[in-house]
Amino acid sequence: MKRNRSARGDVGMPARRLARHLLAAAVGATLAVTLAACSGGGASESGSGAESATDSDGARSEAVAPGSTDAVSGAAGAVGLAEAPEEAINRELITTGDATLAVEDPFEAAAQIADLVEKAGGRVEARDERAGTDDEPGSASMTLRIPADRVSATLDALDKLGEVRDRHVETVDVTGTAQDLDARIEALRTSTDRLRELMADADRTADLIEIEAELAERQAELDSRVSERSRLSDEVAMSTLHVEIVAEGNPAAQARPGGFLGGLSAGWSALVSTFNVVVLVLGAIIPWLALGGLVLLVVVGVRRQIAKSGSDGPAAVTPEPAATE
């Protein structure tokens, strides 16, 4: 009996082990299938993402490929640099300058400068010439309008005419102002066009009058903005240069001190000028005062003579009393 039981036990043990192995294999297969499905979906997604990345990288590689101008422009646009060169070209700048020129003959130099500016495509906006006196030599001053790209060449040309003792050039960027004016002008034009359409469709007289008044106001503002934009464009296109022309050796051509010393010098010059004027006035008045005093002395002497002669006249005759017989 024991041997039979052990035999049955020996037979049952492999069966149970086999069942466990089959169950473990089934569970493992199920897990493997599940994991394979999940990994397959993730792989497909990652594959599509990789494909997108590949396409993106390929496009990016193509965009920055050497020898492709359009690709380089696209890459530059992606980082916000595509419009940088265009903005640099379209910057609107107003250039103004001042210069002092010392020459032998200011009048001849002014004529040469005018001819030089006209050849450069500019114009002389103002010209003032002052003839020399005994105390001060002649001088001239000019206001020139020169194309913006010819300012440096014009200043260099002044060195050939005489001695440039000082010069100053200043540039102001008005790009923002110009863009603001352009935007306002565009908005006003759109508004006026819309008001004209409304005026054409107006049925009532009251509406027509109201639209006309609004249109007149908008049109006036539009004309003002357009005129302001034109002036700004002219200042950008044509730079302004002020040239002071003095004779060589003229102290006025020397650089004048600024600050306190400059004010003190100007005040002293004004005081001396005022004193000279007062002396000049006194010199002109003194002869008349002397003449007036002489006339006054004559009048006083005549009056005294008349008064004296009146007091020394014949005495009054007193009648004598009649004699009594």
Side-chain angles (χ1 to χ4, degrees), residues 242-288:
H242 301 280
V243 180
E244 189 72 21
I245 309 171
V246 297
E248 291 181 347
N250 183 10
Q254 303 294 336
R256 296 181 179 178
F260 175 76
L261 293 178
L264 183 61
S265 176
W268 177 257
S269 299
L271 178 61
V272 171
S273 299
T274 304
F275 180 76
N276 292 335
V277 171
V278 171
V279 170
L280 180 63
V281 172
L282 289 177
I285 292 178
I286 285 175
W288 294 97

Side-chain angles (χ1 to χ4, degrees), residues 14-251:
R16 285 195 295 271
R17 289 177 182 175
L18 180 60
R20 287 175 187 159
H21 287 310
L22 291 176
L23 179 60
V27 173
T30 303
L31 292 175
V33 171
T34 304
L35 291 175
C38 294
S39 62
S44 62
E45 293 178 359
S46 62
S48 62
E51 183 179 0
S52 300
T54 302
D55 293 340
S56 176
D57 293 341
R60 192 177 297 112
S61 301
E62 182 180 358
V64 297
S68 176
T69 305
D70 297 338
V72 173
S73 300
V79 294
L81 298 177
E83 298 180 356
E86 184 178 358
E87 289 183 359
I89 294 174
N90 292 333
R91 305 301 294 180
E92 301 202 30
L93 307 174
I94 295 179
T95 302
T96 57
D98 298 276
T100 301
L101 179 66
V103 296
E104 293 182 0
D105 187 354
F107 293 172
E108 182 181 356
Q112 293 176 353
I113 292 174
D115 183 62
L116 178 67
V117 170
E118 290 177 358
K119 289 181 179 180
R123 66 180 184 272
V124 178
E125 194 168 74
R127 181 173 177 177
D128 183 19
E129 298 179 351
R130 297 173 291 276
T133 61
D134 296 336
D135 298 332
E136 185 177 356
S139 61
S141 61
M142 305 178 70
T143 300
L144 312 175
R145 299 300 303 278
I146 308 169
D149 57 347
R150 300 290 299 171
V151 174
S152 298
T154 303
L155 289 174
D156 294 338
L158 294 179
D159 292 329
K160 301 178 181 179
L161 301 178
E163 179 187 359
V164 179
R165 295 187 172 176
D166 62 76
R167 69 178 67 187
H168 173 72
V169 178
E170 182 180 5
T171 301
V172 179
D173 190 345
V174 294
T175 305
T177 304
Q179 292 176 349
D180 181 66
L181 284 174
D182 291 338
R184 289 175 180 269
I185 289 172
E186 184 64 25
L188 287 170
R189 284 175 176 168
T190 302
S191 178
T192 53
D193 293 341
R194 179 56 180 165
L195 287 173
R196 288 190 180 93
E197 294 177 359
L198 292 175
M199 187 171 60
D201 297 337
D203 297 333
R204 298 188 306 172
T205 304
D207 295 340
L208 183 61
I209 294 175
E210 183 178 357
I211 294 173
E212 285 182 348
E214 185 68 21
L215 178 60
E217 183 178 353
R218 298 288 178 87
Q219 186 64 44
E221 185 178 358
L222 174 60
D223 294 341
S224 176
R225 298 294 182 182
V226 170
S227 177
E228 184 178 356
R229 185 64 173 93
S230 299
R231 288 194 301 270
L232 186 64
S233 299
D234 180 68
E235 292 179 358
V236 171
M238 302 291 288
S239 300
T240 303
L241 181 62
H242 301 280
V243 180
E244 189 72 21
I245 309 171
V246 297
E248 291 181 347
N250 183 10

